[in-house]
Amino acid sequence: DQQVKQNSPSLSVQEGRISILNCDYTNSMFDYFLWYKKYPAEGPTFLISISSIKDKNEDGRFTVFLNKSAKHLSLHIVPSQPGDSAVYFCAALYNFNKFYFGSGTKLNVKP
Amino acid sequence: GAGVSQSPSNKVTEKGKDVELRCDPISGHTALYWYRQSLGQGLEFLIYFQGNSAPDKSGLPSDRFSAERTGGSVSTLTIQRTQQEDSAVYLCASSPGSGVEQFFGPGTRLTVL
């Protein structure tokens, strides 16, 4: 029973353009949503988070949008850079102690 | 400062053998998590420690899996009588307990032949 889903396994974007990564969830009781970035042979690194009571959080080139009615969140990266090429995981936090992760989206930013 | 470390980085074992995976969290972090990532899959939650106790063991796939944490620091994940389907990358993460961010180690790649 997958509570967090990333339906696009891969995404290819031209350098300088916007990258939009999507994530859907099923549990309306999640407290926080997070995005992690993962390079090969490394553990995921935290990128940005959003509380379930907010609908937008911005940090530099990264913005996360939360649509609670649709149970959908997205990560926008603008402008995209080749160094952004990695696997991006969406995660949801339940009861402030259990995390559910999506299966990841591999982003390729072409120079 | 030092991040989360895991050992070994790679482990190849024969089916039926027991393995121990170690996680050293960031000093002072009270929460510790174990995850498994099978090929092409997302991170699967296994177990969570707050201090030395594990309030949530619901993610452990079977009774062959166990974990302990001592001194509020190092944690060991033990898999008994390994099976080929146990092959995966096992990731450990820690957090200060007040915030939502987790800090991940590099993982242990387990291959069961």
Side-chain angles (χ1 to χ4, degrees), chain B residues 18-113:
Chain B
D18 297 352
V19 296
E20 277 191 0
L21 312 180
R22 177 186 169 109
C23 172
D24 282 87
I26 292 173
S27 177
H29 279 193
T30 58
L32 186 147
Y33 303 80
W34 282 99
Y35 295 89
R36 174 169 76 172
Q37 186 180 17
S38 302
L39 191 63
Q41 303 296 314
L43 277 68
E44 175 190 4
F45 168 83
L46 297 178
I47 191 169
Y48 151 71
F49 288 91
Q50 181 60 43
N52 290 336
S53 64
D56 190 343
K57 299 181 181 180
S58 63
L60 293 175
S62 74
D63 58 8
R64 296 186 295 105
F65 287 73
S66 63
E68 64 175 15
R69 188 179 185 196
T70 54
S73 181
V74 172
S75 176
T76 303
L77 177 69
T78 301
I79 309 173
Q80 295 178 309
R81 305 180 302 281
T82 52
Q83 304 293 313
Q84 287 182 332
E85 61 262 29
D86 299 334
S87 296
V89 175
Y90 289 81
L91 289 157
C92 172
S94 69
S95 73
S98 55
V100 298
E101 181 182 350
Q102 296 175 90
F103 296 81
F104 280 86
T108 293
R109 180 174 295 278
L110 174 66
T111 303
V112 182
L113 301 176

Side-chain angles (χ1 to χ4, degrees), chain A residues 29-104:
Chain A
M29 301 299 291
F30 285 133
D31 307 296
Y32 263 87
F33 300 90
L34 305 92
W35 285 93
Y36 283 83
K37 177 179 177 181
K38 185 181 185 301
Y39 292 117
E42 295 182 10
T45 55
F46 172 78
L47 203 53
I48 192 169
S49 67
I50 186 167
S51 164
S52 59
I53 62 172
K54 300 281 181 71
D55 53 21
K56 178 182 175 182
N57 187 27
E58 189 172 353
D59 184 3
R61 297 185 297 114
F62 303 91
T63 303
V64 56
F65 294 92
L66 177 61
N67 182 336
K68 287 184 286 294
S69 60
K71 295 191 178 68
H72 177 85
L73 69 155
S74 60
L75 174 68
H76 292 210
I77 307 172
V78 56
S80 302
Q81 299 172 354
D84 296 330
S85 297
V87 177
Y88 289 78
F89 288 98
C90 166
L93 176 61
Y94 176 75
N95 205 26
F96 287 97
N97 63 25
K98 189 166 181 177
F99 290 85
Y100 293 85
F101 281 78
S103 54

